[in-house]
Short mmCIF file of all heavy atoms in Angstrom, two decimals:
data_model
loop_
_atom_site.label_atom_id
_atom_site.label_comp_id
_atom_site.label_asym_id
_atom_site.label_seq_id
_atom_site.Cartn_x
_atom_site.Cartn_y
_atom_site.Cartn_z
N GLN A 61 -39.49 69.90 2.80
CA GLN A 61 -40.15 70.31 4.05
C GLN A 61 -41.14 69.28 4.51
O GLN A 61 -41.24 68.96 5.71
CB GLN A 61 -40.82 71.66 3.86
CG GLN A 61 -41.41 72.22 5.17
CD GLN A 61 -42.18 73.51 4.95
OE1 GLN A 61 -42.28 74.00 3.82
NE2 GLN A 61 -42.70 74.05 6.04
N ALA A 62 -41.91 68.70 3.56
CA ALA A 62 -42.90 67.70 3.93
C ALA A 62 -42.23 66.47 4.57
O ALA A 62 -42.69 65.96 5.61
CB ALA A 62 -43.69 67.25 2.70
N VAL A 63 -41.12 66.03 4.00
CA VAL A 63 -40.39 64.88 4.56
C VAL A 63 -39.86 65.24 5.93
O VAL A 63 -39.95 64.46 6.90
CB VAL A 63 -39.27 64.44 3.62
CG1 VAL A 63 -38.37 63.43 4.32
CG2 VAL A 63 -39.83 63.83 2.35
N GLY A 64 -39.26 66.47 6.05
CA GLY A 64 -38.69 66.86 7.32
C GLY A 64 -39.72 66.95 8.44
O GLY A 64 -39.48 66.49 9.56
N LEU A 65 -40.89 67.50 8.13
CA LEU A 65 -41.95 67.60 9.11
C LEU A 65 -42.47 66.20 9.49
O LEU A 65 -42.77 65.91 10.65
CB LEU A 65 -43.09 68.45 8.61
CG LEU A 65 -42.83 69.95 8.50
CD1 LEU A 65 -43.96 70.65 7.76
CD2 LEU A 65 -42.63 70.55 9.88
N ASP A 66 -42.55 65.30 8.52
CA ASP A 66 -43.09 63.98 8.79
C ASP A 66 -42.18 63.17 9.69
O ASP A 66 -42.63 62.28 10.41
CB ASP A 66 -43.31 63.25 7.46
CG ASP A 66 -44.24 62.05 7.65
OD1 ASP A 66 -45.46 62.27 7.84
OD2 ASP A 66 -43.73 60.89 7.64
N ARG A 67 -40.89 63.49 9.65
CA ARG A 67 -39.95 62.77 10.53
C ARG A 67 -40.23 63.04 12.00
O ARG A 67 -39.80 62.28 12.86
CB ARG A 67 -38.51 63.17 10.18
CG ARG A 67 -38.05 62.65 8.81
CD ARG A 67 -36.54 62.84 8.63
NE ARG A 67 -36.11 62.61 7.24
CZ ARG A 67 -35.94 61.42 6.68
NH1 ARG A 67 -36.20 60.33 7.40
NH2 ARG A 67 -35.55 61.31 5.42
N GLY A 68 -40.93 64.10 12.27
CA GLY A 68 -41.31 64.40 13.64
C GLY A 68 -42.65 63.78 14.06
O GLY A 68 -43.08 63.96 15.19
N LEU A 69 -43.28 63.06 13.12
CA LEU A 69 -44.59 62.40 13.40
C LEU A 69 -44.36 60.90 13.50
O LEU A 69 -43.27 60.40 13.31
CB LEU A 69 -45.57 62.74 12.29
CG LEU A 69 -45.81 64.22 12.03
CD1 LEU A 69 -46.75 64.41 10.83
CD2 LEU A 69 -46.38 64.90 13.24
N ASP A 70 -45.42 60.18 13.78
CA ASP A 70 -45.36 58.70 13.83
C ASP A 70 -44.97 58.18 12.46
O ASP A 70 -45.36 58.71 11.42
CB ASP A 70 -46.70 58.11 14.22
CG ASP A 70 -47.07 58.40 15.68
OD1 ASP A 70 -46.14 58.71 16.44
OD2 ASP A 70 -48.28 58.34 16.02
N GLU A 71 -44.16 57.13 12.46
CA GLU A 71 -43.69 56.52 11.24
C GLU A 71 -44.83 55.70 10.61
O GLU A 71 -45.26 54.71 11.17
CB GLU A 71 -42.46 55.63 11.50
CG GLU A 71 -41.73 55.21 10.27
CD GLU A 71 -40.44 54.52 10.60
OE1 GLU A 71 -40.49 53.36 11.07
OE2 GLU A 71 -39.35 55.11 10.43
N THR A 72 -45.32 56.10 9.44
CA THR A 72 -46.36 55.40 8.71
C THR A 72 -45.98 55.29 7.24
O THR A 72 -44.98 55.87 6.79
CB THR A 72 -47.68 56.22 8.79
OG1 THR A 72 -47.52 57.41 7.99
CG2 THR A 72 -47.99 56.62 10.23
N PRO A 73 -46.74 54.48 6.45
CA PRO A 73 -46.45 54.36 5.03
C PRO A 73 -46.49 55.71 4.30
O PRO A 73 -45.93 55.81 3.22
CB PRO A 73 -47.56 53.43 4.52
CG PRO A 73 -47.91 52.60 5.70
CD PRO A 73 -47.80 53.51 6.89
N ARG A 74 -47.11 56.71 4.89
CA ARG A 74 -47.12 58.02 4.25
C ARG A 74 -45.70 58.52 4.02
O ARG A 74 -45.42 59.14 3.00
CB ARG A 74 -47.89 59.03 5.15
CG ARG A 74 -47.94 60.44 4.62
CD ARG A 74 -48.57 61.44 5.59
NE ARG A 74 -47.85 61.47 6.84
CZ ARG A 74 -48.35 61.03 8.01
NH1 ARG A 74 -49.54 60.56 8.08
NH2 ARG A 74 -47.63 61.11 9.12
N ARG A 75 -44.80 58.25 4.98
CA ARG A 75 -43.43 58.77 4.83
C ARG A 75 -42.75 58.15 3.58
O ARG A 75 -41.97 58.83 2.92
CB ARG A 75 -42.60 58.50 6.07
CG ARG A 75 -41.25 59.24 6.04
CD ARG A 75 -40.54 59.16 7.33
NE ARG A 75 -41.40 59.61 8.43
CZ ARG A 75 -41.14 59.35 9.70
NH1 ARG A 75 -40.06 58.66 10.06
NH2 ARG A 75 -41.98 59.76 10.63
N ALA A 76 -43.01 56.86 3.31
CA ALA A 76 -42.43 56.24 2.13
C ALA A 76 -42.94 56.98 0.88
O ALA A 76 -42.18 57.19 -0.07
CB ALA A 76 -42.77 54.77 2.10
N THR A 77 -44.20 57.32 0.87
CA THR A 77 -44.78 58.05 -0.31
C THR A 77 -44.13 59.41 -0.41
O THR A 77 -43.79 59.86 -1.54
CB THR A 77 -46.30 58.22 -0.12
OG1 THR A 77 -46.89 56.91 -0.09
CG2 THR A 77 -46.88 59.00 -1.27
N LEU A 78 -43.96 60.10 0.70
CA LEU A 78 -43.31 61.44 0.65
C LEU A 78 -41.86 61.32 0.15
O LEU A 78 -41.44 62.14 -0.69
CB LEU A 78 -43.27 62.05 2.06
CG LEU A 78 -44.63 62.35 2.70
CD1 LEU A 78 -44.43 62.83 4.14
CD2 LEU A 78 -45.42 63.39 1.88
N LEU A 79 -41.14 60.31 0.58
CA LEU A 79 -39.76 60.11 0.15
C LEU A 79 -39.72 59.76 -1.34
O LEU A 79 -38.83 60.23 -2.08
CB LEU A 79 -39.09 59.01 0.98
CG LEU A 79 -38.68 59.43 2.37
CD1 LEU A 79 -38.46 58.20 3.26
CD2 LEU A 79 -37.39 60.26 2.31
N ASN A 80 -40.63 58.93 -1.78
CA ASN A 80 -40.69 58.57 -3.20
C ASN A 80 -40.96 59.82 -4.03
O ASN A 80 -40.31 60.01 -5.08
CB ASN A 80 -41.78 57.54 -3.44
CG ASN A 80 -41.96 57.21 -4.90
OD1 ASN A 80 -41.20 56.45 -5.48
ND2 ASN A 80 -42.96 57.80 -5.52
N ASN A 81 -41.89 60.64 -3.62
CA ASN A 81 -42.21 61.86 -4.34
C ASN A 81 -41.04 62.83 -4.38
O ASN A 81 -40.76 63.48 -5.39
CB ASN A 81 -43.44 62.55 -3.78
CG ASN A 81 -44.70 61.71 -3.95
OD1 ASN A 81 -44.70 60.69 -4.67
ND2 ASN A 81 -45.76 62.06 -3.24
N LEU A 82 -40.31 62.91 -3.26
CA LEU A 82 -39.10 63.73 -3.23
C LEU A 82 -38.07 63.19 -4.20
O LEU A 82 -37.42 63.96 -4.94
CB LEU A 82 -38.53 63.75 -1.81
CG LEU A 82 -37.15 64.42 -1.64
CD1 LEU A 82 -37.21 65.88 -2.04
CD2 LEU A 82 -36.71 64.29 -0.15
N ALA A 83 -37.94 61.87 -4.25
CA ALA A 83 -36.98 61.28 -5.17
C ALA A 83 -37.32 61.54 -6.60
O ALA A 83 -36.41 61.79 -7.45
CB ALA A 83 -36.90 59.74 -4.92
#
Side-chain angles (χ1 to χ4, degrees):
Q61 185 184 1
V63 170
L65 289 171
D66 197 73
R67 292 191 190 281
L69 304 176
D70 291 340
E71 193 171 73
T72 69
R74 178 186 60 248
R75 190 172 307 164
T77 299
L78 297 175
L79 283 161
N80 176 80
N81 294 348
L82 173 60

